[in-house]
Amino acid sequence: MRESRYNIWVDDGTQSYVYNGFSGKVAAVPTAQREPIVRFLAGDDAAPADPALLHALVDGQMIVADGFDELSLLRRRYALTRRNADRFHLTVVTSLGCNFDCPYCFEAKHPSLLDDAVQERLLRLVDVKLRTVRALSVLWYGGEPLVGLTALLGLSDELLARAAGAGASYTAAIITNGYLLTEPVARQLRGRGVTAAQVTIDGPPEVHDRRRPLAGGRGTFATLLENVTAVADLLDVSVRVNLDAENVGQAPRLLAILAANGLAGRVGVHPGHVVTPAGNTRAPSARYRAACLPRAEYAAAEQRFFDVAADLGFATPGPPGPVGAPCTAVRDNELVVGSRGELYKCTETVGDGSEVVGNLLNWPQAGDRLMKWLTYDPFADAECRACPALPVCMGGCAYHAMDGRLRDSRCSTFRFNHEEQVRRLITRRARRPAPAGS
């Protein structure tokens, strides 16, 4: 027997805890038992290791057989989830136009809307997929998807009806800048299966308005705060705060404003890492001059963000759990559909003509651009194979990994601060009220 290569240990006085990335489980270990366990695993049968504790560690996969090949099983998990034939997922760009003018945006936008011909071809593809899948999910995306609200609502009605007719489940979410996400719009979305919305707010008013103004320059913070407050009980709202060197120190002020407006416990909050892909030279990001944070520095900022958020009453995540193939880019039953019917594999490539993998007119038609995604193999990377974050990251962002200029930002932040993330989980559990009657 031996310890799993994916164990993360943290100590808390007389108690130690071990989190296993392969299983996603955590176990408490009295500190006095750590040395006996080490000795027992080294072959000392006389070591006073607690048998019940050893069984618990085996159940949690913190202790595995000597011949247990965790890496091979991770490969298998990756392959099986990459080729999930039971679920079809679409990211649909209803409009590549946008009412915002964000200087770090990675999309080269144009004022296109999802027209009737593209919608018809999309529904034809869905009809084919629904013959074999049991679940259909959609992420509404842009540009700004609510600029294309008419198409979004009409297409939602069709997708809901088709999924119901095929006996398949249907789920939907939206990523929106939030400016058009009024309460009436949220009710329309909710009535069409959209249950979750991500809205980006980049700091307190003067910071956010500089970074995410309307096209034309007018600020947007006040409207977003009003909208998020109005829809927080209709949709599962997550407020994203995109961080770079220009605004990283302002996140606590924003969180305090959100809390003061009664949003703690009503919305989620999480940071995002501003990265400026160099591939699309027509995108605003190609000319963005603020300093992006190195991934390790961003990981530290992420932890500070969650510390402040937790103190203000916002729910914060524990360490990430185990995953398979991590995103649409590398899963073969998922597509990103552009507003003109063009197809992509990664949301970060939307609007970049060099990354188009096909078109709804002739799909499926395999080509080199598609196969680079579907043959991407994080296990070919020696650094990934040796990383403690591999089970919860599975190579991270394939798009960034395949571009040497972006490689620093490919990784999960768990790579850099796994102990801190596990410690947060333990602290949160310790603060949890005991069940009634205990």
Side-chain angles (χ1 to χ4, degrees), residues 88-91 125 328 333-337 343-345 363:
F88 183 47
H89 175 75
L90 284 168
T91 298
L125 173 62
T328 288
N333 214 21
E334 303 192 10
L335 284 171
V336 181
V337 180
L343 300 174
Y344 308 89
K345 282 298 292 173
W363 186 260

Side-chain angles (χ1 to χ4, degrees), residues 50-350:
D50 181 350
L53 178 57
L54 289 172
H55 282 296
L57 295 176
V58 170
D59 288 342
Q61 294 180 280
M62 293 90 176
I63 293 178
V64 297
D66 288 331
F68 186 67
D69 190 340
E70 293 168 287
L71 201 58
S72 290
L73 286 177
L74 285 179
R75 285 180 182 271
R76 186 168 181 268
R77 179 187 290 172
Y78 185 88
L80 288 174
T81 52
R82 171 175 245 169
R83 297 175 177 83
N84 183 1
D86 292 333
R87 174 179 177 269
F88 183 47
H89 175 75
L90 284 168
T91 298
V92 181
V93 178
T94 60
S95 168
L96 197 54
C98 186
N99 50 344
F100 276 29
D101 186 17
C102 306
Y104 56 74
C105 182
F106 55 78
E107 294 178 338
K109 295 186 176 70
H110 51 74
S112 62
L113 295 171
L114 199 67
D115 64 26
D116 292 342
V118 173
Q119 292 181 56
E120 181 183 350
R121 294 196 295 271
L122 178 58
L123 291 171
R124 238 183 280 161
L125 173 62
V126 169
D127 286 339
V128 171
K129 291 290 186 179
L130 284 174
R131 296 172 191 166
T132 57
V133 303
R134 295 184 294 179
L136 172 64
S137 62
V138 175
L139 173 64
W140 301 106
Y141 195 69
E144 170 48 46
L146 293 181
V147 170
L149 180 61
T150 299
L152 189 161
L153 297 178
L155 200 50
S156 293
D157 289 337
E158 293 287 347
L159 294 172
L160 279 162
R162 282 166 160 79
S169 65
Y170 179 82
T171 56
I174 186 169
I175 294 178
T176 169
N177 61 37
Y179 196 81
L180 302 175
L181 188 63
T182 61
E183 183 177 345
V185 168
R187 292 188 184 280
Q188 289 180 294
L189 295 175
R190 182 80 188 195
R192 288 165 172 84
V194 178
T195 58
Q198 176 184 288
V199 175
T200 297
I201 304 179
D202 267 5
E206 72 282 5
V207 176
H208 171 88
D209 288 346
R210 182 172 65 249
R211 293 167 62 88
R212 298 183 64 82
L214 284 172
R218 190 155 54 91
T220 60
F221 181 91
T223 298
L224 296 197
L225 183 60
E226 179 182 352
N227 286 352
V228 167
T229 303
V231 308
D233 300 321
L234 293 172
L235 301 173
D236 181 8
V237 177
S238 177
V239 175
R240 173 180 169 122
V241 187
N242 288 327
L243 299 179
D244 58 23
E246 195 265 347
N247 74 327
V248 65
Q250 300 296 326
R253 285 182 56 210
L254 169 65
L255 292 170
I257 291 170
L258 297 179
N261 280 270
L263 291 173
R266 295 178 63 207
V267 303
V269 291
H270 68 279
H273 189 192
V274 175
V275 179
T276 53
N280 192 349
T281 58
R282 297 184 296 116
S285 60
R287 298 173 295 281
Y288 189 58
R289 292 294 174 260
C292 296
L293 301 172
R295 193 62 171 173
E297 189 174 334
Y298 169 75
E302 179 187 72
Q303 291 307 296
R304 294 193 297 272
F305 180 101
F306 285 134
D307 287 342
V308 174
D311 289 343
L312 290 169
F314 291 95
T316 56
V323 298
C327 68
T328 288
V330 295
R331 298 180 195 138
D332 66 359
N333 214 21
E334 303 192 10
L335 284 171
V336 181
V337 180
S339 54
R340 292 174 174 170
E342 77 278 19
L343 300 174
Y344 308 89
K345 282 298 292 173
C346 173
T347 54
E348 288 196 32
T349 65
V350 170

